[in-house]
Amino acid sequence: MRSRRNFIKQSIFGAAALGVAPSLVQASTKRVVTKPIVISTWDFGVAANQAAWKVLSKNGKAIDAVEQGVRVAESDLDNPTVGKGGYPDRDGHVTLDACIMDDQGNCGSVAALEHIAHPISVARLVMEKTPHVMLVGEGALQFALEQGFEQENLLIPSSEKAWKEWLKEKKYKPIMNIENKSFQTERLPGNQYNHDTIGMLALDADGNLSGACTTSGMAFKMRGRVGDSPIIGAGLYVDNEVGGATSTGVGEEVIRTVGSFLVVELMRQGYSPEAACKEAVERIIKKKPAIAKEIQVGFLALNKKGEYGSYALQSGFTYAVCTKEKQDLLIKGKHIY
Ligand code: ASP
């Protein structure tokens, strides 16, 4: 019969061989959990985090925090990449994509939704009130109207003007590094934002995780084009045992690599949030090296301990972090190129 000491020894070595941190070591290590905490993509994440913080600081639930948080970006008419005021598709229709996921593995999503200013709240109701995960186009609109959402024109004059400008040349190419407002050198003249998404992850006072992701997608996209943002596993993934991840940038490459799911699974294997995001970005490079040099994709991740990190293909990606200590932190993400 194996002695108790031998059994423990074998368990530790067995765990190490699997790349899993031995539980004995974990038990004796002091685990400091930062919570509540909310993080989100890009400069506009700062304002969004503050709305989420109002919920989290009162011991509210992460799922409510992320919904309230990203609604701020959806309402911001100066933001041409999320919600009302988002740039339209090539035919002039503003079509919105969003998804949400809670700590129980419940999720809801809408894609190519028109005329509704807060797709994230529609996605939440898809999660809570239907047996489905995803509603698209006409059906998503019908559902939203049935739930009492108001139908409105989402194409505001400044976005219409930008679209008409774009129509002159109809150049359809994802332009990299025009997302960030802080770093002027990396910004194109004018307000020519091509793509940007708010992805938000929160860990609440009870230690539960949720996430939300919402966008108007790639500017002047083909009619019917849907990116990664409303796709669970691509634009967002949350596993309450491990952590959550979200993405921004050219969604096609994120879908191809099931990016956010990949980041969470890597964290499950012991990767830090930053290392997991880096590996996911490198996966994109490995699959499409030529394309990867030309585009932007950024991942953002938060684990169960409240540790966070990001990695992007190109410079220019920023993310916002909000904790009890500081509510308006903006961090320049690490990048490959
Ligand atoms: N990921 C979004 C999409 O592909 C856009 C973005 O984040 O820039 O639709």
Side-chain angles (χ1 to χ4, degrees):
M1 215 166 90
R2 283 189 296 174
S3 71
R4 185 176 144 74
R5 182 177 294 176
N6 269 342
F7 174 70
I8 291 173
K9 230 165 134 186
Q10 281 169 8
S11 302
I12 293 173
F13 287 133
L18 287 170
V20 179
S23 55
L24 280 181
V25 175
Q26 258 184 7
S28 61
T29 307
K30 196 172 166 233
R31 293 182 65 199
V32 183
V33 178
T34 306
K35 62 176 186 182
I37 179 170
V38 56
I39 63 174
S40 58
T41 54
W42 303 114
D43 295 25
F44 46 62
V46 173
N49 282 356
Q50 285 167 8
W53 186 252
K54 282 192 186 146
V55 178
L56 293 174
S57 59
K58 290 183 200 120
N59 290 345
K61 284 185 187 303
I63 188 70
D64 296 322
V66 294
E67 182 189 3
Q68 290 309 314
V70 301
R71 279 176 65 101
V72 170
E74 288 181 338
S75 298
D76 180 0
L77 298 187
D78 289 333
N79 180 344
T81 60
V82 181
K84 183 169 180 171
Y87 282 167
D89 65 14
R90 55 167 57 178
D91 300 333
H93 309 277
V94 179
T95 66
L96 304 178
D97 301 332
C99 72
I100 193 160
M101 191 160 188
D102 74 7
D103 56 291
Q104 304 291 308
N106 299 312
C107 46
S109 158
V110 289
L113 174 62
E114 295 181 49
H115 313 301
I116 303 291
H118 288 296
I120 197 66
S121 297
V122 184
R124 182 161 182 183
L125 291 183
V126 171
M127 172 174 90
E128 289 175 349
K129 298 210 165 166
T130 80
H132 308 301
V133 165
M134 193 165 191
L135 291 177
V136 306
E138 281 291 312
L141 175 61
Q142 184 183 323
F143 173 72
L145 296 175
E146 281 163 13
Q147 295 299 319
F149 287 83
E150 270 180 30
Q151 189 158 355
E152 53 183 298
N153 176 22
L154 303 181
L155 185 62
I156 63 171
S158 55
S159 297
E160 188 171 7
K161 193 166 161 234
W163 168 58
K164 289 197 168 144
E165 222 17 69
W166 176 83
L167 280 177
K168 288 181 188 160
E169 286 195 25
K170 291 192 184 166
K171 252 206 333 231
Y172 190 50
K173 189 169 186 281
I175 310 163
M176 72 179 179
N177 289 336
I178 58 171
E179 300 91 345
N180 191 283
K181 294 184 199 168
S182 304
F183 307 106
Q184 291 297 325
T185 49
E186 292 161 352
R187 198 179 164 197
L188 283 184
N191 197 18
Q192 298 178 36
Y193 288 75
N194 175 282
H195 57 90
D196 259 13
T197 292
I198 185 156
M200 179 178 277
L201 302 161
L203 179 68
D204 64 27
D206 291 333
N208 289 319
L209 286 157
S210 291
C213 185
T214 176
T215 190
S216 52
M218 200 175 283
F220 321 127
K221 59 198 173 186
M222 284 178 69
R223 180 128 179 90
R225 180 266 183 190
V226 171
D228 58 324
S229 306
I231 297 179
I232 297 294
L236 177 76
Y237 196 71
V238 175
D239 185 320
N240 205 40
E241 284 180 6
V242 178
T246 188
S247 66
T248 180
V250 177
E252 282 71 6
E253 302 316 313
V254 179
I255 295 172
R256 276 191 243 280
T257 51
V258 199
S260 291
F261 182 72
L262 174 61
V263 171
V264 172
E265 288 307 300
L266 289 168
M267 291 196 291
R268 192 193 305 279
Q269 290 171 29
Y271 282 59
S272 70
E274 181 182 302
C277 291
K278 184 166 190 245
E279 179 71 28
V281 163
E282 279 168 351
R283 191 72 62 90
I284 291 175
I285 298 172
K286 202 170 159 201
K287 291 226 185 284
K288 302 265 178 219
I291 292 175
K293 284 204 182 83
E294 301 293 319
I295 61 161
Q296 176 65 302
V297 170
F299 289 103
L300 180 63
L302 174 68
N303 71 15
K304 196 72 180 159
K305 289 187 260 177
E307 297 165 336
Y308 55 84
S310 87
Y311 232 90
L313 280 171
Q314 317 290 340
S315 66
F317 175 55
T318 56
Y319 64 98
V321 177
C322 175
T323 59
K324 196 164 65 173
E325 279 68 46
K326 194 161 167 48
Q327 275 96 61
D328 60 355
L329 189 61
L330 184 66
I331 298 177
K332 201 172 175 173
K334 292 192 180 171
H335 54 94
I336 304 276
Y337 297 117

